[in-house]
Structures are given as C-alpha cells and as structure tokens.
Amino acid sequence: MASMERNRGMPRGDYEGDKFRLHIVTWNVATADPRDDMSSLLRLDSAEDADLYIIGLQEVYSGPLRFMSDVVLDDPWSSVLMTALAPRQYVKVCSIRMQGLLLLLFSKLEHLPFIRDIQTTYTRTGIFGYWGNKGGVSIRLSLYGHMLCFLNCHLAAHMKHANERVVEFEHILNSQNFKCEKAGKILDHRLVFWFGDLNFRIQDHGLHFVRTCISNENYNLLWKKDQLIMMKEKEKLLQEFEEGPLDFQPTYKFDVNTDTYDSRLYRTWFAFTSKKRKPAWTDRILWRLQPKARHADEQNKHGDAPDAHNVKPPEEAEEYPLEIRQDLYTSNMEYSTSDHKPVTGIFTLKLKKMYATPLVHLQAEGEWSADIDAMLLYSPLQPFPTSTWDWIGLYKVGFTSVSDYITYTWVKDDEVFIDEDAIKVYVSKEEIPVRGGECLLGYYCHTLQCIIGISEPFRVHESKVAIEEGLLHEKINILDQIVAAENIHD
C-alpha cells in the first residue's frame, strides 16, 4: 500500500535544532508480572540513549488486593522499569493508571527542569462507559516549550467492532480536557502520540492465508485488509495520524510462553471448538504533528468551515519549528509472558527550544551532615508561579522518581533570608541522612506539577557523632529508614 510504503524521513529543516530520541513501548501484558530483566525491551545496549521513555501498558493485573497495594506502593511494572533506568540517570517524571491501563513517562535527568505543565487524565469506555477495563489514559506536557501529548488506549475487542473502536477514540479525544490555555484538548498539542491495544483486526482473509503470509514475511499482502488502514481511507480524523510500515509480524494472538499463534481449544455453550483467533496487528503506535493553520482567506476560497484544531496562529510554529522522524517500528518477539507481543517505536524529534535555562538555580551551602543544621540557596532565574505548596527535595544521586526524595523542606515555611541574588532555606539536621552519600536538590513547583531546578551533585558527609558512638552501618540504615518513613507519613 502506498500509504504504508512512503518515505518517512525527517524533512530537511533550514534551522539549527536540538534532537531528542523518544522510545515508546505499547504492550498488553495480559495480567502477567514483569520479567526482572527488561533491558532488551528498553534497548539499553543501544549506541544512542533515549531522552524520553514512554511506556503504555494494558491489562496490568488489577485484582482488588493488588490494586490497593499499588495505590500505596509502586506497582511491579513501575518498580522493575525504575530499577532498570535509574542507574542510567533516568527519572520517572509521572504516571497515570486507570484499572488495567498504565502509562509511564521517564526522562533523562538533564531534561527534568524543562518538562513542565504536566497533566494527566483518563476516560472510561468499558461497560456502559463506567468500567475502566477499556478506555484511554494520557499525559500532556511541555518539552522545552513544545506541547506534547501521549495517549495510551485499550479499545473494544473483536472483529465486528471496528466502527465502535473509532467512535471510542473520538469520544476519548473529545472528553479529555486539560487546564491549559493553548492546549485544552488532545488535538491542540503540537505533537500527539496515540498507541495501545487498539484491537483492529485483519478482515476477510482466512486464517490459513494470514498465517502463510506471516510465515513468508509477505506482510504487505495483509495491509489492505487491516481494519485501521481501511478505516483511515474513510475517516478524516484518522487520516491526520501517521504510522510507520507494519514490517513485523502481527503481535496477537500467541499461546502464552511461546512464539506459536493461537492453538487453544475454546469452550462454547455445548462443547469445545478448535476455532482459533486470527493473527492481527492489534498493538500500534501512531502520531500526529499538528497541521499548520491556513489563513482565513484560503479557508474561504476552499469553502471550508473553520476547524477548531486548525486555527492556531502560525507565528509560534514558524519561530520554533518541530519535526519528527520514525527510526524504528517493530515488535519484541522474545517476550512471551502474554498473548500479545510488545511493540516499540523509536522517534527522533528535531526542535528549536523555546527556553534553555531552568526556572530556578539551586545549590547546597557549606558542608552537609546529620551533625549540624544545613542551608541551601535558590535563585529564581525567570518568573514562575510560586505557591505555599512548593518544596525542595533532597535526593540521592540515581533517584528513581520525583517522589523518591530522602527528605524535603517547604520553601515558604523554611525561608530564613532573602537578598537580591538568592533565597536561603533552612534544613534541619534531623532530616539529613546519617550515612551521607552523593546527593542533589530539586525544586518542585506545585502549580506546574514538576521539578523546575536541579542542583549539581554534592557530598553529604557521614555523621561524626554516629561514628564516635560506634553505631554500626546496619543500625544507621535503620535510622535512615525511620526518617524516610516519618517523611512519608508526614
């Protein structure tokens, strides 16, 4: 198909822009727990590091007891991914979960102060629109001033519901709202990624023909009967979304713990049947770069009515361009714990930054240890919306997420000195880890829901008092754990 075979290289921009590598994964995990080693899924041995990881999961186990524990603690998938990425200086920026739908965003530490205006939301489309087993979860943000939105969906199943899947997608787009003047809806964002178990099937072709095409790697013979490609031919909304060639075998449905397509017997009302599920590309990654606004006279000339998502002033897009190229679109066949295979899309973004300076500069003052109260300095470098709920966290180098702080101090409550250049904030010695270690500071802005400044790493020294009193490292560990537990409860 021509639409699947066209060149998707990045346009030749006539501007100097920074490049960012996005690694997106979608996987219906069918309630399975994660493997301990996720390095191949994350391509950790790649010569090029990702700047952002976006992981969309469907059918994460959500039994009542597990779901309640996941509310208090990190779910197993988040924990395994954070364990793999934190040593490489990636931080979990945020996540959103709706029953079995989970969306996670990780960033290189260096980009953290430039990911702002983070918001999340969800839409249920399950039973009567109230049950969360189907629907969409999204994360929207500003990356160096460019507005991006990531939407993870699990749409209606079965061959006959192709139209219903499109209706659900439109409902998700229309129902999700953000508190953002420039991008109140998903399609208002400069760049949207839509992925998940979209459940579109291969229509008309018989099971034998489909499996023969897969065995011979003649995937292009199946494209014309792929429901999503077919729906794009008649649905204007879908035509705005691009997708790379499906040059990998369909990712559904496999016998669990094998690379064998469905061979099970299924129970019917009266007996068992050998009817098998036809393979399909249910797991997909698409993207939409916001169309440039046309001038009003051009719209009138074509007799077009104004489009609410296509009337943005072009000045910002022209001054700060954004381009996208897909570098990889493939399945990960080695993962067999589910009846779906994970799908990976790797993208290069080329953009001109709207800002390159953090909102706040932070630094530790003097030596830090648990033997003496400490001070930190912060300097606003640009205006930003301050709040009494702003806080500064003390983090160990290699921390896993924004909430993985050792301790924190309320900025407004603990300010002790203000001059023209910097603001000094008090930190009690009782909050400082006794064992010390390599640490850094992060300023969390409550209004923007993100960290807006990070200090350089600095050394927190071991407590001399603890050493003189002969406290063992095991006991010191316990003291640190008690302090951390008190901070959580506070």
Side-chain angles (χ1 to χ4, degrees):
M1 249 181 106
S3 63
M4 296 296 294
E5 295 170 349
R6 59 181 169 161
N7 182 3
R8 294 179 181 275
M10 182 177 288
R12 294 183 179 180
D14 57 356
Y15 67 96
E16 291 297 323
D18 291 277
K19 291 184 179 180
F20 296 86
R21 191 171 175 86
L22 272 60
H23 186 120
I24 299 178
V25 174
T26 178
W27 191 7
N28 183 322
V29 298
T31 73
D33 282 334
R35 290 184 356 186
D36 291 336
D37 183 7
M38 304 291 283
S39 56
S40 61
L41 185 65
L42 301 172
R43 295 183 173 259
L44 297 180
D45 59 352
S46 173
E48 295 184 76
D49 290 339
D51 293 283
L52 299 179
Y53 279 98
I54 302 95
I55 314 293
L57 305 177
Q58 307 85 41
E59 291 194 23
V60 175
Y61 181 68
S62 55
L65 293 179
R66 169 71 69 80
F67 191 80
M68 290 303 295
S69 68
D70 291 350
V71 171
V72 179
L73 305 171
D74 288 311
D75 65 273
W77 285 94
S78 297
S79 296
V80 167
L81 291 166
M82 287 190 293
T83 299
L85 291 171
R88 297 171 180 263
Q89 299 296 297
Y90 290 95
V91 177
K92 189 183 85 169
V93 179
C94 70
S95 65
I96 179 171
R97 178 156 181 193
M98 182 186 74
Q99 204 160 313
L101 271 172
L102 177 63
L103 180 57
L104 300 155
L105 172 67
F106 296 85
S107 168
K108 269 187 175 179
L109 180 63
E110 65 193 79
H111 302 310
L112 202 56
F114 305 100
I115 299 175
R116 304 174 187 168
D117 301 315
I118 302 167
Q119 296 181 48
T120 63
T121 190
Y122 62 88
T123 302
R124 297 185 177 97
T125 61
I127 302 170
F128 303 114
Y130 291 102
W131 193 244
N133 63 319
K134 295 288 194 296
V137 294
S138 62
I139 296 173
R140 63 89 53 202
L141 55 88
S142 166
L143 175 67
Y144 290 93
H146 295 266
M147 292 178 291
L148 278 57
C149 187
F150 302 95
L151 173 61
N152 173 27
C153 289
H154 192 186
L155 303 181
H158 305 304
M159 180 74 72
K160 63 182 179 180
H161 290 145
N163 288 316
E164 183 179 334
R165 288 188 269 278
V166 176
V167 170
E168 286 183 348
F169 177 50
E170 291 178 339
H171 172 65
I172 291 168
L173 293 179
N174 292 329
S175 64
Q176 295 199 356
N177 299 296
F178 302 101
K179 295 178 181 179
C180 177
E181 183 178 346
K182 291 183 178 180
K185 293 284 190 179
I186 290 176
L187 295 185
D188 292 332
H189 291 76
R190 290 287 300 279
L191 181 60
V192 177
F193 289 95
W194 171 39
F195 49 90
D197 180 1
L198 307 186
N199 254 322
F200 289 100
R201 310 304 171 99
I202 296 173
Q203 203 165 285
D204 298 334
H205 291 313
L207 177 63
H208 178 72
F209 179 80
V210 172
R211 290 194 173 183
T212 300
C213 289
I214 295 170
S215 297
N216 296 330
E217 297 187 4
N218 292 326
Y219 307 129
N220 61 311
L221 299 180
L222 303 176
W223 292 347
K224 287 185 178 180
K225 295 300 180 180
D226 174 84
Q227 288 180 333
L228 180 52
I229 296 173
M230 294 170 68
M231 296 299 290
K232 285 186 74 172
E233 293 179 356
K234 62 179 182 180
E235 295 286 344
K236 185 177 179 181
L237 173 62
L238 297 182
Q239 291 168 10
E240 297 181 10
F241 285 83
E242 296 189 64
E243 184 180 26
L246 297 169
D247 287 332
F248 52 90
Q249 67 186 83
T251 52
Y252 175 81
K253 171 180 172 78
F254 290 87
D255 292 337
V256 174
N257 295 320
T258 75
D259 288 336
T260 303
Y261 281 107
D262 190 18
S263 63
R264 297 189 308 162
L265 294 176
Y266 289 91
R267 182 185 295 275
T268 65
W269 285 104
F270 303 104
F272 286 92
T273 177
S274 61
K275 183 178 179 181
K276 301 171 181 63
R277 302 287 175 88
K278 193 163 44 172
W281 286 289
T282 57
D283 311 285
R284 311 287 275 269
I285 301 173
L286 299 91
W287 72 93
R288 175 189 183 270
L289 190 60
Q290 190 178 55
K292 290 184 178 180
R294 288 186 295 171
H295 295 294
D297 56 351
E298 186 180 350
Q299 289 180 335
N300 293 334
K301 181 173 68 175
H302 289 83
D304 296 337
D307 184 343
H309 300 297
N310 201 23
V311 294
K312 304 295 179 187
E315 291 82 5
E316 185 175 272
E318 291 177 359
E319 184 178 358
Y320 299 100
L322 170 67
E323 296 173 354
I324 180 171
R325 179 187 70 217
Q326 185 172 53
D327 300 317
L328 181 70
Y329 191 29
T330 189
S331 59
N332 300 79
M333 294 299 295
E334 67 182 271
Y335 292 87
S336 57
T337 54
S338 166
D339 55 357
H340 291 250
K341 301 295 184 182
V343 170
T344 297
I346 296 179
F347 299 84
T348 295
L349 300 188
K350 182 181 178 183
L351 57 84
K352 183 178 179 182
K353 296 177 180 178
M354 297 185 189
Y355 44 76
T357 304
L359 295 175
V360 167
H361 175 265
L362 282 167
Q363 68 180 68
E365 184 181 52
E367 289 193 354
W368 280 47
S369 79
D371 297 332
I372 187 172
D373 296 334
M375 294 289 177
L376 63 87
L377 299 174
Y378 79 90
S379 305
L381 302 180
Q382 300 175 46
F384 66 91
T386 60
S387 164
T388 55
W389 296 100
D390 289 0
W391 49 269
I392 295 173
L394 177 67
Y395 294 89
K396 283 283 183 71
V397 169
F399 66 101
T400 60
S401 70
V402 173
S403 60
D404 185 28
Y405 47 77
I406 302 169
T407 187
Y408 65 90
T409 183
W410 296 108
V411 176
K412 298 299 182 183
D413 288 353
D414 296 318
E415 286 180 356
V416 294
F417 180 76
I418 302 175
D419 64 19
E420 294 181 356
D421 299 321
I423 301 170
K424 188 176 292 189
V425 180
Y426 163 85
V427 180
S428 170
K429 63 183 180 181
E430 296 177 356
E431 304 293 332
I432 299 174
V434 177
R435 290 190 64 190
E438 290 296 315
C439 297
L440 50 81
L441 300 164
Y443 187 115
Y444 186 86
C445 175
H446 177 77
T447 304
L448 298 179
Q449 294 289 293
C450 61
I451 286 181
I452 59 173
I454 297 174
S455 74
E456 291 294 323
F458 63 95
R459 181 74 183 174
V460 175
H461 299 282
E462 280 190 340
S463 167
K464 293 180 180 179
V465 173
I467 294 172
E468 290 171 358
E469 292 183 0
L471 289 175
L472 298 176
H473 282 293
E474 291 78 8
K475 293 181 179 179
I476 295 173
N477 265 326
I478 293 172
L479 290 175
D480 283 347
Q481 291 170 10
I482 292 171
V483 171
E486 290 175 347
N487 289 335
I488 291 173
H489 292 308
D490 289 344

